Short mmCIF file of all heavy atoms in Angstrom, two decimals:
data_model
loop_
_atom_site.label_atom_id
_atom_site.label_comp_id
_atom_site.label_asym_id
_atom_site.label_seq_id
_atom_site.Cartn_x
_atom_site.Cartn_y
_atom_site.Cartn_z
N GLY T 47 109.61 90.63 81.93
CA GLY T 47 108.27 91.00 82.31
C GLY T 47 108.16 92.51 82.43
O GLY T 47 109.17 93.23 82.50
N GLN T 84 93.97 100.15 85.32
CA GLN T 84 92.88 100.78 84.58
C GLN T 84 93.23 100.93 83.11
O GLN T 84 92.38 100.74 82.23
CB GLN T 84 92.58 102.12 85.20
CG GLN T 84 92.07 102.01 86.63
CD GLN T 84 92.11 103.32 87.39
OE1 GLN T 84 92.36 104.39 86.81
NE2 GLN T 84 91.94 103.28 88.72
N THR T 145 87.71 88.19 87.30
CA THR T 145 87.98 88.78 88.62
C THR T 145 88.56 87.74 89.56
O THR T 145 87.97 86.64 89.72
CB THR T 145 86.69 89.33 89.27
OG1 THR T 145 86.10 90.23 88.35
CG2 THR T 145 87.03 90.07 90.56
N CYS T 162 96.76 85.28 77.88
CA CYS T 162 97.78 86.21 77.37
C CYS T 162 98.71 86.74 78.46
O CYS T 162 99.45 87.69 78.26
CB CYS T 162 97.09 87.40 76.65
SG CYS T 162 96.03 88.40 77.66
N MET T 192 112.26 84.80 86.13
CA MET T 192 113.45 85.47 86.64
C MET T 192 114.24 84.60 87.63
O MET T 192 113.62 83.85 88.40
CB MET T 192 113.05 86.77 87.33
CG MET T 192 112.63 87.89 86.41
SD MET T 192 114.04 88.67 85.54
CE MET T 192 114.89 89.50 86.90
N ASP T 215 137.80 114.69 87.66
CA ASP T 215 139.01 115.08 88.41
C ASP T 215 138.69 116.19 89.37
O ASP T 215 139.61 116.83 89.93
CB ASP T 215 140.09 115.54 87.45
CG ASP T 215 139.66 116.73 86.59
OD1 ASP T 215 138.43 116.97 86.50
OD2 ASP T 215 140.52 117.34 85.96
N LYS T 217 136.86 118.24 92.82
CA LYS T 217 136.58 118.05 94.22
C LYS T 217 135.10 118.26 94.45
O LYS T 217 134.38 118.82 93.59
CB LYS T 217 137.39 119.02 95.05
CG LYS T 217 138.90 118.83 94.90
CD LYS T 217 139.67 119.87 95.73
CE LYS T 217 141.14 119.67 95.54
NZ LYS T 217 141.95 120.70 96.30
N ALA T 231 125.70 109.94 102.20
CA ALA T 231 126.28 110.52 101.00
C ALA T 231 127.75 110.96 101.26
O ALA T 231 128.64 110.74 100.44
CB ALA T 231 125.45 111.68 100.48
N HIS T 248 128.34 121.95 106.85
CA HIS T 248 127.13 121.96 107.66
C HIS T 248 126.72 123.41 107.88
O HIS T 248 127.49 124.19 108.49
CB HIS T 248 127.35 121.27 109.02
CG HIS T 248 126.17 121.44 109.93
ND1 HIS T 248 124.95 120.89 109.67
CD2 HIS T 248 126.02 122.12 111.11
CE1 HIS T 248 124.10 121.20 110.63
NE2 HIS T 248 124.73 121.95 111.52
N GLU T 264 129.92 116.95 116.98
CA GLU T 264 130.53 115.93 117.82
C GLU T 264 130.40 114.54 117.26
O GLU T 264 131.35 113.73 117.25
CB GLU T 264 129.90 115.96 119.23
CG GLU T 264 130.49 114.98 120.22
CD GLU T 264 131.97 115.25 120.50
OE1 GLU T 264 132.46 116.36 120.24
OE2 GLU T 264 132.65 114.32 120.99
N GLN T 294 105.05 126.66 99.76
CA GLN T 294 105.91 126.40 98.61
C GLN T 294 107.01 127.48 98.45
O GLN T 294 108.16 127.20 98.24
CB GLN T 294 105.06 126.33 97.32
CG GLN T 294 104.33 125.03 97.10
CD GLN T 294 105.23 123.92 96.68
OE1 GLN T 294 105.95 123.33 97.50
NE2 GLN T 294 105.24 123.62 95.39
N ILE T 305 122.09 127.86 98.26
CA ILE T 305 123.01 128.13 97.16
C ILE T 305 123.76 129.44 97.45
O ILE T 305 125.00 129.52 97.23
CB ILE T 305 122.25 128.25 95.83
CG1 ILE T 305 121.57 126.95 95.51
CG2 ILE T 305 123.22 128.62 94.70
CD1 ILE T 305 122.47 125.77 95.31
N ASN T 309 127.81 129.75 97.95
CA ASN T 309 128.68 130.62 97.15
C ASN T 309 129.49 131.53 98.02
O ASN T 309 130.67 131.83 97.76
CB ASN T 309 127.83 131.46 96.19
CG ASN T 309 127.16 130.62 95.11
OD1 ASN T 309 127.61 129.49 94.82
ND2 ASN T 309 126.12 131.12 94.51
N ILE T 334 110.52 112.77 93.31
CA ILE T 334 109.14 112.45 92.93
C ILE T 334 108.16 113.49 93.46
O ILE T 334 107.32 114.01 92.72
CB ILE T 334 108.76 111.06 93.44
CG1 ILE T 334 109.34 109.99 92.53
CG2 ILE T 334 107.26 110.87 93.52
CD1 ILE T 334 108.71 109.94 91.14
N ASN T 350 116.02 120.78 97.82
CA ASN T 350 117.07 120.35 96.90
C ASN T 350 116.59 120.23 95.47
O ASN T 350 117.27 119.62 94.65
CB ASN T 350 117.67 119.02 97.42
CG ASN T 350 116.63 118.01 97.77
OD1 ASN T 350 115.51 118.00 97.22
ND2 ASN T 350 116.96 117.12 98.69
N ILE T 355 119.18 124.93 92.12
CA ILE T 355 119.72 123.58 92.06
C ILE T 355 119.49 122.95 90.67
O ILE T 355 120.39 122.29 90.10
CB ILE T 355 119.09 122.69 93.16
CG1 ILE T 355 119.51 123.18 94.54
CG2 ILE T 355 119.44 121.21 92.93
CD1 ILE T 355 120.96 122.95 94.87
N GLY T 362 125.49 119.84 84.88
CA GLY T 362 126.33 118.74 85.30
C GLY T 362 127.21 119.05 86.48
O GLY T 362 128.29 118.45 86.65
N ARG T 381 125.01 101.14 106.87
CA ARG T 381 125.50 100.06 107.72
C ARG T 381 126.60 99.29 107.01
O ARG T 381 127.60 98.86 107.64
CB ARG T 381 124.35 99.11 108.08
CG ARG T 381 123.24 99.75 108.90
CD ARG T 381 123.73 100.30 110.23
NE ARG T 381 124.07 99.22 111.17
CZ ARG T 381 124.84 99.41 112.22
NH1 ARG T 381 125.36 100.58 112.48
NH2 ARG T 381 125.06 98.39 113.07
N LEU T 400 113.01 123.19 111.00
CA LEU T 400 111.79 123.58 111.70
C LEU T 400 111.04 124.69 110.98
O LEU T 400 109.90 125.00 111.34
CB LEU T 400 112.12 124.01 113.12
CG LEU T 400 112.70 122.94 114.05
CD1 LEU T 400 112.99 123.54 115.42
CD2 LEU T 400 111.80 121.73 114.18
N SER T 401 111.66 125.29 109.96
CA SER T 401 110.97 126.39 109.26
C SER T 401 109.67 125.92 108.64
O SER T 401 108.68 126.68 108.52
CB SER T 401 111.87 126.99 108.18
OG SER T 401 112.03 126.13 107.07
N LEU T 472 92.77 115.38 128.25
CA LEU T 472 91.85 114.34 127.77
C LEU T 472 91.53 113.37 128.92
O LEU T 472 92.44 112.83 129.58
CB LEU T 472 92.48 113.59 126.60
CG LEU T 472 91.59 112.69 125.74
CD1 LEU T 472 90.56 113.55 124.99
CD2 LEU T 472 92.45 111.93 124.73
N ASN T 479 93.16 102.02 117.16
CA ASN T 479 92.59 101.36 115.95
C ASN T 479 91.28 102.05 115.55
O ASN T 479 91.01 102.26 114.36
CB ASN T 479 92.35 99.87 116.21
CG ASN T 479 93.66 99.11 116.28
OD1 ASN T 479 94.67 99.50 115.68
ND2 ASN T 479 93.65 98.00 117.01
N GLY T 507 89.98 128.24 130.26
CA GLY T 507 89.72 129.67 130.35
C GLY T 507 90.28 130.50 129.21
O GLY T 507 90.16 131.73 129.24
N GLN T 513 95.90 133.74 114.69
CA GLN T 513 96.70 134.92 114.94
C GLN T 513 97.59 135.20 113.74
O GLN T 513 97.97 134.32 112.98
CB GLN T 513 97.57 134.72 116.18
CG GLN T 513 96.86 134.36 117.46
CD GLN T 513 96.15 135.57 118.05
OE1 GLN T 513 96.46 136.71 117.77
NE2 GLN T 513 95.22 135.29 118.97
N TYR T 516 104.50 134.53 112.04
CA TYR T 516 105.47 134.17 110.99
C TYR T 516 106.58 133.30 111.59
O TYR T 516 106.63 133.08 112.78
CB TYR T 516 106.09 135.46 110.39
CG TYR T 516 105.04 136.40 109.83
CD1 TYR T 516 104.60 137.50 110.61
CD2 TYR T 516 104.46 136.18 108.61
CE1 TYR T 516 103.65 138.35 110.13
CE2 TYR T 516 103.49 137.06 108.11
CZ TYR T 516 103.07 138.11 108.87
OH TYR T 516 102.10 138.95 108.40
N VAL T 535 111.67 112.21 125.84
CA VAL T 535 110.81 111.14 126.38
C VAL T 535 110.88 109.91 125.45
O VAL T 535 110.94 108.78 125.92
CB VAL T 535 109.35 111.60 126.52
CG1 VAL T 535 108.44 110.46 126.93
CG2 VAL T 535 109.27 112.72 127.57
N VAL T 600 101.92 127.53 125.55
CA VAL T 600 101.18 126.53 124.80
C VAL T 600 99.73 126.53 125.27
O VAL T 600 99.42 126.21 126.42
CB VAL T 600 101.77 125.11 125.00
CG1 VAL T 600 100.89 124.05 124.33
CG2 VAL T 600 103.21 125.06 124.45
#
Side-chain angles (χ1 to χ4, degrees):
Q84 296 164 11
T145 306
C162 61
M192 286 286 291
D215 60 344
K217 298 177 181 179
H248 172 66
E264 182 62 19
Q294 282 285 79
I305 299 297
N309 293 339
I334 280 291
N350 47 28
I355 293 291
R381 297 299 289 161
L400 296 180
S401 72
L472 195 65
N479 290 333
Q513 304 283 342
Y516 304 98
V535 174
V600 175

